[in-house]
Amino acid sequence: MPTPARNNHASSVQIQQPRTRSPLPPSPIAFKEQQGRPPPTTQQTITGKLFRNLFQGLLFSQLTLTSLLVIVLTIRGLILASSHHFHPKKWYPPLLASVSASGVASLAWQCIFIYNPSRAVRATFWLSPILTCSVGILLVLIGSAVDAGVGAVFVLFAVTQSLYGCWITPRLEYADKILSLSTAFPPPRTREVVGLSIVVSVVYSGFLVTGIGGATSTRTSLDLLFISVILIGLAWTMQVLKNAQQVAVSRARYVNFAHGEDMDAWSALHVTVKHLIGSICIGSTLVPIIVLIRGSIRSVNLMSGSSDEVMYSGADCFSTLANKVVTCGNRWGFVHVGTYDKGFVEASSDTWKKFRSINGLEEVIDSDLTSSLCFLGAVSVGAVSSLTAGIWMLLIHKNYALEVTLYAYIIGYFVGRVALAWLQACVSAYYVAYSEDPHSMRFDGTIPQRIQRLQMLRAHRDNRERERQESDESP
């Protein structure tokens, strides 16, 4: 992938300096033999191997059964379309065009980020709510009460994004800097890996669209179940595809950050697909669930910001639960999955212990905006895809507009997540490598300065809270 032309922050990092080895423990990877499988650092348990093989089998079984279901539904839909007043020539083209649009939008976002990361970061946080609001307005224009209700939800979601963008504005400078440092010199052939992932996600999504159309042609209650099964399979498959890319790129990037060696991202992807799919499937199942749990707990903690003793004790209990849950599964664990061939739960636990071993680093990790950037970037891609299909449907067949718009939004979102996975991989590798050797000459003072800044802000908040309590207690 080409080096960013205007990457101001990257110039200070010392990654490309001469190979001065810091006192790291011996690496378990034979870096000169990049085609080989990374040997596990510990003896894997029989249970761990069983679960990895089980989830890998579930993935391939799901892909096979979903493909058969899609083929049957497509053939049946084309045969019965005329008898159920379904118009394939009006239903398929807008949705298939929106799938293609999601791929084009994903590639366009890549180009923008490569050549101007700072503007790409800021544009994502203001463009996402605008596009989401546009989808909501489009749905309201369709005219029915149901469409207007769904459109109102999109508008509310856009307002929430706008408020979030205002809230995190002070953190954008650091987010820009850490992204620039971690993605300044991506592994060789990263562009090919990302491009292949986008193509696969677009082709697979287009294939599933044919099955959804076949089920829509008859519209029975059983067909609604078939559509739900196809969408659930799409979500999990896209998660696996995204995380496979993240494991491959983070492995190659970690090698550079931690050991000063260059690893081909394509070779890392080959090893990942051949040996690590089981762990990736487990992580693709656990991470969304744990993220949902932690997000809910954080929301409860924000709403319980009162002096009431019962509310305070409840928030403290939820915080303890969140700290326990994150060690069972987190996206940072994918770095150790790719680098050391660990099981996902073990890798997640080990990486989080490393974060906690450095004073203040866990708080930096928790406040990192990379996941928000990737999420809102994918939301933008989904909105572009949704607008493409929705406007087309609004002009030719309004009755299909709502369902096609929603399908396009879901598919576009997942294609966007796959396209942006390499960013998260690079940032994850940077943090994990730093946690294992924070004094390495390959890292500058960005993270220590951020830790110091957050500690100062926390001390300031504590002082204000103490003063407020003292003023409340005084007569």
Side-chain angles (χ1 to χ4, degrees):
M1 186 170 290
T3 302
R6 290 180 293 277
N7 199 337
N8 297 328
H9 299 302
S11 60
S12 61
V13 72
Q14 301 184 26
I15 298 169
Q16 299 299 319
Q17 296 294 328
R19 313 299 191 188
T20 303
R21 294 279 181 175
S22 55
L24 283 172
S27 171
I29 304 177
F31 295 114
K32 299 300 182 182
E33 300 176 2
Q34 296 176 3
Q35 300 290 338
R37 175 178 180 173
T41 57
T42 58
Q43 185 65 34
Q44 298 178 10
T45 63
I46 296 178
T47 304
K49 292 181 179 179
L50 177 64
F51 272 103
R52 294 172 72 168
N53 292 333
L54 174 63
F55 274 82
Q56 182 172 337
L58 285 175
L59 174 66
F60 293 129
S61 299
Q62 179 264 137
L63 290 174
T64 302
L65 295 176
T66 300
S67 300
L68 292 175
L69 177 63
V70 167
I71 293 172
V72 170
L73 290 175
T74 303
I75 296 174
R76 189 199 66 173
L78 293 176
I79 294 174
L80 301 177
S82 58
S83 61
H84 289 82
H85 307 288
F86 178 71
H87 305 282
K89 292 182 180 180
K90 294 182 178 179
W91 196 92
Y92 282 113
L95 192 50
L96 291 175
S98 70
V99 174
S100 301
S102 67
V104 173
S106 298
L107 291 173
W109 198 98
Q110 304 287 325
C111 296
I112 295 172
F113 182 87
I114 289 170
Y115 292 106
N116 203 324
S118 180
R119 288 189 177 181
V121 170
R122 283 162 173 77
T124 299
F125 283 98
W126 64 258
L127 192 60
S128 178
I130 292 175
L131 291 173
T132 304
C133 185
S134 300
V135 175
I137 294 173
L138 173 66
L139 293 175
V140 171
L141 292 176
I142 294 175
S144 70
V146 175
D147 298 330
V150 177
V153 173
F154 273 88
V155 172
L156 181 61
F157 183 36
V159 172
T160 304
Q161 293 178 46
S162 300
L163 294 175
Y164 177 76
C166 296
W167 181 54
I168 55 88
T169 298
R171 293 150 58 185
L172 283 178
E173 182 180 356
Y174 173 75
D176 176 25
K177 190 170 185 179
I178 201 70
L179 274 167
S180 298
L181 288 173
S182 58
T183 61
F185 305 100
R189 304 191 71 182
T190 299
R191 180 170 54 187
E192 287 91 331
V193 172
V194 176
L196 176 65
S197 300
I198 294 175
V199 170
V200 170
S201 63
V202 168
V203 172
Y204 184 69
S205 299
F207 171 67
L208 295 188
V209 162
T210 63
I212 295 174
T216 304
S217 64
T218 53
R219 296 178 181 272
T220 65
S221 56
L222 188 59
D223 289 322
L224 294 178
L225 176 62
F226 289 152
I227 292 174
S228 301
V229 169
I230 291 174
L231 290 178
I232 293 172
L234 170 70
W236 192 45
T237 304
M238 289 295 195
Q239 283 288 325
V240 173
L241 181 60
K242 173 180 78 73
N243 292 329
Q245 182 192 155
Q246 184 167 340
V247 167
V249 176
S250 65
R251 180 192 180 196
R253 202 70 183 103
Y254 173 89
V255 167
N256 180 254
F257 285 135
H259 302 280
E261 301 285 345
D262 291 328
M263 174 175 281
D264 190 295
W266 194 265
S267 300
L269 180 64
H270 174 76
V271 174
T272 298
V273 172
K274 187 175 181 180
H275 298 292
L276 305 175
I277 289 297
S279 294
I280 293 171
C281 291
I282 295 174
S284 301
T285 306
L286 289 179
V287 169
I289 297 173
I290 292 175
V291 167
L292 178 62
I293 293 174
R294 290 197 80 207
S296 302
I297 291 174
R298 285 186 174 184
S299 300
V300 171
N301 289 343
L302 288 174
M303 291 186 295
S304 64
S306 66
S307 57
D308 183 82
E309 185 176 351
V310 176
M311 292 291 289
Y312 179 81
S313 61
D316 186 61
C317 178
F318 283 128
S319 297
T320 303
L321 177 61
N323 291 333
K324 294 289 185 183
V325 168
V326 72
T327 60
C328 299
N330 56 75
R331 65 180 181 274
W332 316 97
F334 285 117
V335 180
H336 275 196
V337 169
T339 306
Y340 300 108
D341 193 18
K342 294 181 180 179
F344 180 73
V345 176
E346 179 191 2
S348 300
S349 177
D350 290 348
T351 52
W352 207 259
K353 287 178 182 177
K354 284 289 186 181
F355 293 157
R356 288 177 174 172
S357 66
I358 299 177
N359 185 32
L361 182 58
E362 184 179 6
E363 187 177 359
V364 173
I365 297 294
D366 275 335
S367 64
D368 183 74
L369 291 179
T370 307
S371 60
S372 299
L373 173 68
C374 293
F375 172 75
L376 293 178
V379 167
S380 301
V381 174
V384 170
S385 177
S386 185
L387 290 171
T388 302
I391 293 173
W392 192 334
M393 273 299 183
L394 190 62
L395 295 176
I396 65 170
H397 204 298
K398 188 180 291 187
N399 292 337
Y400 296 145
L402 176 61
E403 61 187 73
V404 169
T405 300
L406 293 179
Y407 292 148
Y409 189 87
I410 293 170
I411 291 172
Y413 169 79
F414 283 116
V415 173
R417 289 309 302 257
V418 171
L420 300 176
W422 74 277
L423 295 179
Q424 212 158 25
C426 291
V427 174
S428 298
Y430 188 90
Y431 278 121
V432 172
Y434 177 85
S435 69
E436 294 179 354
D437 187 17
H439 303 295
S440 171
M441 294 296 293
R442 299 183 185 92
F443 303 106
D444 62 4
T446 301
I447 294 180
Q449 291 170 8
R450 182 61 178 172
I451 292 174
Q452 185 179 14
R453 172 67 175 167
L454 292 178
Q455 290 173 342
M456 291 175 59
L457 292 175
R458 186 171 64 249
H460 183 61
R461 286 195 303 268
D462 292 342
N463 290 335
R464 286 194 302 175
E465 180 65 22
R466 190 180 305 111
E467 291 174 358
R468 187 185 65 83
Q469 291 178 354
E470 291 175 355
S471 63
D472 290 342
E473 294 172 358
S474 61

